[in-house]
Amino acid sequence: MADPLQRCFSEARLNGLTLRNRLIKAATFEGKSPGGMPSEDLLRLHQRVGEGGIAMTTLAYCAAEADGRIHEHMMHMHEGIRPALERLIRTVQATGARVSGQLGHCGNFTKNREFTGRRPLGPSRAINALGLTAGMPFAGTLSQREIRARVETFARAAAFMKSAGFDAIEIHFGHGYAISQFISPRTNRRTDKYGGSLTNRMRFGLEVLAAVRTAVGDDFPLLGKISMSDGVRGGITYDDAPEIAALLEAGGIDAIICSGGTSSMNPMLLFRGASLLQGLLEHEKSAFMRFGMRLAGKRMFREYPYEETYFLEPAKRVRDRVTCGVCYIGGVCTSASIGTLMAEGFDFIQLGRGLLYDPDFPKHAVADAGYVNGCTHCNRCATLIDAAGGIHCVLEPDNFSPGATGIPDGR
Ligand SMILES: Cc1cc2nc3c(=O)[nH]c(=O)nc-3n(C[C@H](O)[C@H](O)[C@H](O)COP(=O)(O)O)c2cc1C
């Protein structure tokens, strides 16, 4: 068998799309789209990781509709951003990298001050703690008619993304966002065909996948990011993950990205390492929200020490269950880990924080089998997503610090 590291750095195919290697930049919402418009800083960040040798970058949080945003400084897929988006995509493609967009919807939690509905909607009634200061403390239940309309927003957004030049689309099935709110029994208490068994709870996600597939055609690469476990009582567990993956494979997904956790209930399951709490408190403007975060802090931001390839064991169970592509994500910071994951049969690897620390990670890893990335998993980058100017690496401040076009302060 070829050297596993070599396998990573040779060309790969994803539903007809040629990738120069098997490393993909993970979606890391950068907070560099003020007013929902992709900025020069956002373009430069993705261009820079393209220059660093990544095969494909992922533009995070491409909302299916305006009300699918957590806040108003996120992009939603509409004609108003087409020129800026097309320019970003073309610029990144000129580096030899491909561009994927993470298509998602917040569902029942938002603090979007431009929200047009009466309240956010999810599978079942819920408290929208994030929206307390935005005057939206509750989330309501989607009717079946509203579910069909939401599916259509995904399809429309996907058609727009393909026409804007994206090479692939990553549908967000995880992390507690709209689709995952249906998949998880913790947030889905419906008694109709969208609730109950896993098959029923997957129905909305599979309808989204089918509608997106129809919108983009059979020969367009579709990835799906799942939570293998919610990491909360009453949520989905690692035992559910292989079945979720099998249903997505049967629904026509090209590759499954194996993540975990929920942004709103247990974010540390997907990050590991230092708690996000302190940094988020420092950037939260509302004293009321700071108070709430302190109260919920210990329960929400649990301790999970960092270890390399922390999702390896459950991700291997997904790998064993499906024949479609499987992409590993979570704690890859060395050439050795890349080799291990290739030897385990994963098709692709997504890199998040390691690339923010070192955008040349792919070049360095291919040149040096002993490469160790310097990211300490302090997770400060992730606490900056709502801060003025968005994210950068605090250890390597030259990496992506805000330029002229950062988000204005004062949110
Ligand atoms: C700053 C930051 C922002 C993130 N934003 C997103 C996001 O928008 N969508 C998503 O699915 N995951 C998001 N994540 C999670 C990453 O995609 C990834 O799952 C996580 O960082 C673990 O991978 P890593 O160990 O390679 O960093 C974010 C992570 C970071 C650090």
Side-chain angles (χ1 to χ4, degrees):
M1 184 184 155
D3 172 2
L5 211 52
Q6 266 176 20
R7 176 172 172 257
C8 181
F9 291 103
S10 42
E11 265 187 14
R13 306 271 288 174
L14 176 64
N15 189 0
L17 181 72
T18 302
L19 299 173
R20 60 185 169 188
N21 59 55
R22 295 173 184 271
L23 298 178
I24 301 173
K25 182 192 171 294
T28 57
F29 177 67
E30 278 93 16
K32 296 179 191 293
S33 43
M37 186 63 74
S39 68
E40 283 298 306
D41 280 354
L42 188 65
L43 178 153
R44 275 198 291 276
L45 185 145
H46 288 277
Q47 183 183 25
R48 180 66 188 87
V49 293
E51 289 163 356
I54 204 81
M56 181 157 76
T57 192
T58 307
L59 215 52
Y61 220 97
C62 299
E65 58 173 326
D67 283 352
R69 297 176 296 172
I70 289 174
H71 58 65
E72 60 278 18
H73 298 292
M74 291 176 145
M75 287 183 289
H76 65 101
M77 297 299 101
H78 69 297
E79 291 299 328
I81 63 168
R82 181 184 290 278
L85 199 54
E86 288 184 347
R87 197 166 79 81
L88 185 155
I89 293 168
R90 275 198 312 269
T91 306
V92 179
Q93 286 168 339
T95 68
R98 305 292 192 166
V99 184
S100 173
Q102 187 181 55
L103 174 58
H105 194 295
C106 61
N108 71 13
F109 72 106
T110 181
K111 57 178 178 179
N112 179 3
R113 291 182 191 280
E114 294 172 359
F115 195 78
T116 60
R118 214 156 47 87
R119 57 193 170 164
L121 297 172
S124 307
R125 273 186 306 173
I127 303 277
N128 172 29
L130 195 64
L132 288 178
T133 54
M136 293 181 286
F138 301 110
T141 304
L142 286 156
S143 67
Q144 290 199 6
R145 190 179 51 78
E146 287 163 334
I147 290 176
R148 282 194 295 277
R150 184 162 290 178
V151 169
E152 277 314 302
T153 67
F154 276 91
R156 265 198 306 275
F160 170 81
M161 290 169 79
K162 184 179 178 190
S163 74
F166 280 102
D167 297 295
I169 291 176
E170 174 183 313
I171 304 174
H172 210 328
F173 292 94
H175 293 183
Y177 292 100
I179 300 178
S180 128
Q181 290 159 21
F182 273 84
I183 300 174
S184 173
R186 168 74 178 245
T187 41
N188 181 347
R189 300 181 305 280
R190 299 178 77 98
T191 52
D192 63 1
K193 65 179 181 178
Y194 291 98
S197 65
L198 180 61
T199 309
N200 280 359
R201 286 181 280 115
M202 282 293 291
R203 192 179 306 279
F204 171 61
L206 290 170
E207 287 178 359
V208 168
L209 175 56
V212 167
R213 176 57 81 199
T214 302
V216 298
D218 286 343
D219 55 357
F220 190 83
L222 291 180
L223 304 97
K225 189 170 185 176
I226 64 168
S227 282
M228 296 182 290
S229 162
D230 290 331
V232 294
R233 191 172 302 146
I236 60 154
T237 70
Y238 291 118
D239 288 340
D240 297 314
E243 197 49 31
I244 291 171
L247 288 166
L248 290 178
E249 177 173 43
I253 205 82
D254 296 310
I256 295 168
I257 304 153
C258 301
S259 187
T262 71
S263 300
S264 57
M265 291 185 280
N266 188 0
M268 293 313 300
L269 189 69
L270 68 110
F271 285 110
R272 313 295 167 105
S275 173
L276 300 175
L277 181 59
Q278 189 52 38
L280 289 174
L281 284 170
E282 285 166 18
H283 294 288
E284 177 55 58
K285 301 276 182 307
S286 155
F288 179 73
M289 289 302 277
R290 281 199 302 277
F291 175 70
M293 283 161 71
R294 280 205 181 87
L295 272 186
K298 275 239 160 348
R299 197 161 40 89
M300 184 168 164
F301 298 96
R302 301 185 205 166
E303 270 184 43
Y304 294 100
Y306 177 83
E307 44 184 285
E308 276 288 291
T309 58
Y310 46 82
F311 279 139
L312 180 57
E313 291 310 316
K316 274 163 63 176
R317 292 175 64 189
V318 171
R319 173 66 294 176
D320 289 346
R321 182 71 166 81
V322 294
T323 55
C324 66
V326 179
C327 177
Y328 179 84
I329 189 169
V332 180
C333 274
T334 66
S335 295
S337 294
I338 293 173
T340 302
L341 293 166
M342 288 293 117
E344 292 287 357
F346 292 97
D347 300 284
F348 304 100
I349 298 172
Q350 284 202 345
L351 305 172
R353 291 160 293 182
L355 270 179
L356 300 176
Y357 177 87
D358 176 11
D360 292 319
F361 185 160
K363 279 187 186 163
H364 289 148
V366 70
D368 176 7
Y371 171 77
V372 178
N373 184 282
C375 172
T376 60
H377 313 100
C378 68
N379 289 325
R380 284 281 162 160
C381 54
T383 69
L384 294 171
I385 58 176
D386 283 354
I391 66 166
H392 63 270
C393 176
V394 299
L395 301 175
E396 293 288 328
D398 285 348
N399 291 351
F400 318 125
S401 289
T405 53
I407 291 181
D409 209 345
R411 264 180 294 149

